[in-house]
Amino acid sequence: MVSGHMIGRIVSHYRVIERLGAGGMGVVFRAHDELLDRDVAIKFLPPGLITEDAARRRFLKEALTLARLHHPNIGTIYEFGSEEGSDYLVMECIPGVTLAERLTFGLFPEKEAITIAGQIAAALEEAHEQGVIHCDLKPANVMIT
C-alpha cells in the first residue's frame, strides 16, 4: 500500500496530501483528518518491512511508547491502525522545518540555541520520567516551529 501512489488516497478517514519524509522505520505523509478537519502526520512502515512480524511489533511498540508521553515539546499520537495489510501511526502534524534543515542556514544565535536546547532537554526529561529512552535523537527528528 505504501508507495508513490499514496497522494490523494483515503486511509481510514485520512486523505493523504503529500510525502513529508522517510526513515528506517517509516514513510511519513501529511494527511487531512476528514472527521476532525485537521492536518495530521501519518507514518507507515516502509514497503520492505510490511511483511516482517518483528518490524510490525517494533512499530506497534513505538506507537504505545509515544502514546504515554504528554508534553508540549513532544508530538501527540492520535491513532494506530492497519489497512490493506499496512500498519500506520497517526500523529500531530507539526509545521516547521527540522533542526537539520534549519542548520543548513547557519548557526543559531546563542539565545535561540539555548531555548531550543532547553526544549529538547525538557522533552527528554519527560520521556525519561516515563521510562522512555529516545534511541534516534538527531537534528532530522527535531522540529523547529
Side-chain angles (χ1 to χ4, degrees), residues 118-130:
Q119 291 172 348
I120 293 169
L124 288 172
E125 180 180 35
E126 170 64 20
H128 292 175
E129 286 176 359
Q130 298 300 320

Side-chain angles (χ1 to χ4, degrees), residues 82-105:
S82 185
E83 188 166 301
E84 296 180 23
S86 292
D87 294 337
Y88 61 89
L89 174 64
V90 180
M91 61 194 107
E92 178 181 8
C93 187
I94 300 171
V97 297
T98 67
L99 178 57
E101 292 167 329
R102 170 53 185 82
L103 287 171
T104 63
F105 298 106

